[in-house]
Amino acid sequence: MIVPSVATLTTVNTAAAQKKPYVILISLDGFRWDYVDKYKPPHLTAFIEGGVKAQSLIPAFPSKTFPNHYSIATGMYPDNHGIIGNVFYSYEKDATYKLSDRTTVTDGSFYMGTPLWVQANNAGMVTASYFFVGTEANIQGIHPTYYYNYDKNVSSETRVDQAIDWLDLPAAERPHFISMYFSDMDNTGHRYGPNNDAELKKSLFALDIVLGDLFKRVKDTELPVQIVIVSDHGMLEVPLDKYIPRETVKNDTLYTTIDNGTIVSIHPKDDGELENIFNQLQEKANHFTVYKTKDTPHFEKAPTSKNWGPLQIIPDPGYYFSSIRSIEARKASSRKVFGHHGFDPKLKEMHGIFYAQGTAFKEGYTQPSIQNIHVYPLICKLLGMDIPKEIDGKLEVIQGVLKLQ
Ligand code: AMP
Ligand code: ZN
Ligand code: ZN
C-alpha cells in the first residue's frame, strides 16, 4: 500500500467529516445492463431488491474503459475531462497516453476535472482506493490517502479484505470514500462474447460470491455505508469476419493514427494535406465512414478538444478495427466470436449498470436509464460535498433514488 506524503493530503478526518456517512464506489468493468436479470446471481439480486437500480447506465462515447471510469470519477464528458480514449495523442504534451503505459497513466497532467477522491480530500475526508482509473495519478497534487498501483493479478478477495480493514480503522483515519474495481466480466465478455451464457454465468457467480462477502462484512461494521455499484459500459458480440485491419487506414507518411477500435483518429503531419487525406480515406471506405471531427456521430456534444485530431474513422455498427497480427491470432484460436465495446452509447448493448443500497437510498426503486456523468453529483450529495460548477452531470436527474432529496 502506498501512503503518499503530499502537503495537502487529508490523513485525518476533520471533526465535521467524522459525522458523515461512508461511500464505497464499486466498478464492475464491462458488466452489461441485462446480466443480473438474465443470470440471477443471488447476492446482487438481493442487493438490488433492498436498494435502487437504474434501468441502465449510459456510457459516454467512445464506450471504452478509461474515458468512462474517468467520467464516473469526475462527472464530465471525456471531451472535458481529457481522457478521451484508452489511447490518445496530446498536442499540449506532444505525447501519446496509453492505458498500458505506466508513465502516462500515472501522470496527473493528463487528467482534468476534480475526481471524487480529490473533492472528498478537499472536504476534509480521508479517502482510499483499491484501483480506479485516475487514482494512481497525482491530480491537483492529490492521490487518495490510501491507494495501490494497478495490478490485475491481485485477487478479488484481497481487495475486499482491504476495504473491510479500512472500515475497521479508528474513526479519525477511516476513509469516507472508497473506490474498488473488478475486471472479471470485461475479461470474460471480450474472450467469449456476451452471448456465451455458460462462461458469463460462471464468472458472474464467482464475482457474486465475492460481492456477497463484501456486503455482509460491510453490514457487520454497523457503519452508515452507502454502496454504489457501477459499470463503465456493456459488450457487443463481434464475429471474426467483422474485424477491419487497422493497417488498411494507415499512412505513416501523411498522418499518424490513434486506434480505439470503434474510432480511429487521424493526426496529419501537414495540415495542408487534410482534404487530400480525407478523400484518400473515403475512397478506401469499406464498412467504415470518414468524418471531419465536428461531424462525427455518437458524441453527446460536438467534440472541442484538439486531441481528437481533425478526422475520425468510424466503423459500421458491430465492426471493429484491430491490427492484422491480433486478427490472425484470433483466427488461430478455437473461438469464432469475441466481444467488444466502444460503440455508439445509444446501442443498448453498450449500457452498463447502476445499483445502490444503504440508509440514504430508497428500497426496491427503479430509475429510468441515466448517463454515467450523473453519478458524481449523487456521491457529492451522499457525502455532503459541494458539486463543482463545471461538471456535466446534474443531481436533479438522479436524486429520485434517495429517500431524502
Ligand atoms: P478495455 O480495453 O477498455 O476493455 O480496458 C479494460 C482493461 O483495462 C482491463 O483489462 C483492465 O485490466 C485494464 N485496466 C483497468 N484499470 C487499469 C489501470 N488503473 N491501469 C491499467 N490498466 C487498467
Ligand atoms: Zn471497461
Ligand atoms: Zn473491455
Side-chain angles (χ1 to χ4, degrees):
M1 180 166 53
I2 304 160
V3 183
S5 56
V6 179
T8 45
L9 187 76
T10 303
T11 53
V12 176
N13 291 304
T14 60
Q18 287 187 36
K19 298 202 180 75
K20 294 189 173 185
Y22 299 86
V23 170
I24 306 182
L25 174 64
I26 303 172
S27 162
L28 307 178
D29 198 317
F31 198 116
R32 207 167 74 173
W33 70 280
D34 56 345
Y35 288 167
V36 165
D37 273 351
K38 219 166 158 183
Y39 305 117
K40 309 209 178 331
H43 298 295
L44 270 171
T45 303
F47 179 91
I48 296 163
E49 280 168 6
V52 299
K53 71 166 186 180
Q55 276 293 259
S56 68
L57 191 65
I58 307 168
F61 184 70
S63 47
K64 285 281 178 178
T65 296
F66 271 55
N68 280 285
H69 273 87
Y70 204 56
S71 281
I72 293 164
T74 58
M76 292 172 146
Y77 291 123
D79 190 49
N80 292 335
H81 67 51
I83 307 298
I84 61 173
N86 282 350
V87 48
F88 62 91
Y89 176 70
S90 163
Y91 284 87
E92 300 91 318
K93 297 172 70 69
D94 186 21
T96 301
Y97 178 103
K98 277 200 203 106
L99 103 173
S100 54
D101 178 349
R102 301 294 311 158
T103 315
T104 56
V105 164
T106 58
D107 180 348
S109 62
F110 283 104
Y111 300 79
M112 304 297 122
T114 304
L116 284 161
W117 53 92
V118 174
Q119 189 74 351
N121 177 85
N122 295 347
M125 284 176 257
V126 172
T127 63
S129 171
Y130 220 127
F131 307 149
F132 206 94
V133 170
T135 54
E136 300 137 278
N138 194 336
I139 302 173
Q140 299 175 25
I142 297 295
H143 287 93
T145 316
Y146 316 119
Y147 74 98
Y148 291 93
N149 280 326
Y150 186 65
D151 174 1
K152 63 179 177 13
N153 298 317
V154 174
S155 74
S156 302
E157 290 77 7
T158 302
R159 303 178 199 197
V160 168
D161 288 347
Q162 175 63 84
I164 297 301
D165 286 350
W166 279 327
L167 290 177
D168 284 341
L169 286 170
E173 292 143 51
R174 188 185 300 142
H176 281 264
F177 176 77
I178 299 175
S179 69
M180 302 183 75
Y181 171 80
F182 301 90
S183 67
D184 314 55
M185 298 312 292
D186 187 66
N187 300 340
T188 307
H190 280 300
R191 199 171 157 83
Y192 299 101
N195 300 320
N196 186 325
D197 290 339
E199 292 295 342
L200 282 173
K201 193 169 175 186
K202 194 162 82 186
S203 289
L204 176 56
F205 275 58
L207 178 62
D208 192 61
I209 289 173
V210 170
L211 293 174
D213 181 47
L214 175 70
F215 302 155
K216 181 184 174 300
R217 291 164 71 187
V218 165
K219 203 165 171 209
D220 290 346
T221 65
E222 296 182 359
L223 292 168
V225 182
Q226 318 296 328
I227 301 181
V228 178
I229 304 178
V230 293
S231 68
D232 49 351
H233 51 73
M235 197 65 72
L236 181 72
E237 185 172 275
V238 176
L240 265 177
D241 60 350
K242 289 196 172 171
Y243 283 92
I244 311 172
R246 77 163 69 114
E247 287 79 359
T248 344
V249 295
K250 281 184 80 148
N251 183 330
D252 292 341
T253 327
L254 286 177
Y255 52 85
T256 53
T257 47
I258 297 284
D259 178 14
N260 273 282
T262 55
I263 175 167
V264 179
S265 304
I266 303 295
H267 299 274
K269 296 196 168 154
D270 171 0
D271 285 344
E273 289 292 325
L274 192 63
E275 288 304 319
N276 176 25
I277 296 169
F278 184 69
N279 294 334
Q280 281 192 24
L281 283 167
Q282 257 184 338
E283 272 167 35
K284 288 189 191 165
N286 184 12
H287 296 297
F288 63 80
T289 310
V290 193
Y291 297 95
K292 303 270 169 69
T293 300
K294 66 174 176 32
D295 304 323
T296 309
H298 311 334
F299 284 102
E300 295 70 30
K301 59 179 192 60
T304 58
S305 166
K306 189 174 181 216
N307 295 345
W308 295 104
L311 298 177
Q312 312 300 326
I313 304 175
I314 304 286
D316 291 352
Y319 282 79
Y320 198 83
F321 280 97
S322 193
S323 67
I324 289 176
R325 214 181 90 207
S326 118
I327 298 170
E328 289 309 316
R330 288 178 194 280
K331 282 185 185 155
S333 86
S334 55
R335 285 165 276 122
K336 297 286 164 261
V337 296
F338 301 90
H340 285 290
H341 51 89
F343 300 100
D344 182 359
K346 287 191 279 303
L347 274 182
K348 195 75 194 259
E349 287 90 340
M350 288 302 103
H351 291 199
I353 53 166
F354 170 86
Y355 308 137
Q357 204 198 86
T359 47
F361 290 100
K362 291 176 180 168
E363 284 167 39
Y365 178 85
T366 301
Q367 135 102 40
S369 297
I370 34 161
Q371 288 178 291
N372 62 16
I373 49 168
H374 303 304
V375 173
Y376 184 103
L378 179 73
I379 292 180
C380 288
K381 171 89 175 169
L382 289 172
L383 290 174
M385 309 194 290
D386 292 340
I387 299 172
K389 284 189 300 297
E390 64 278 12
I391 69 166
D392 297 305
K394 299 251 178 304
L395 181 62
E396 304 87 90
V397 184
I398 195 170
Q399 68 182 350
V401 299
L402 297 174
K403 276 186 194 151
L404 295 172
Q405 286 148 37

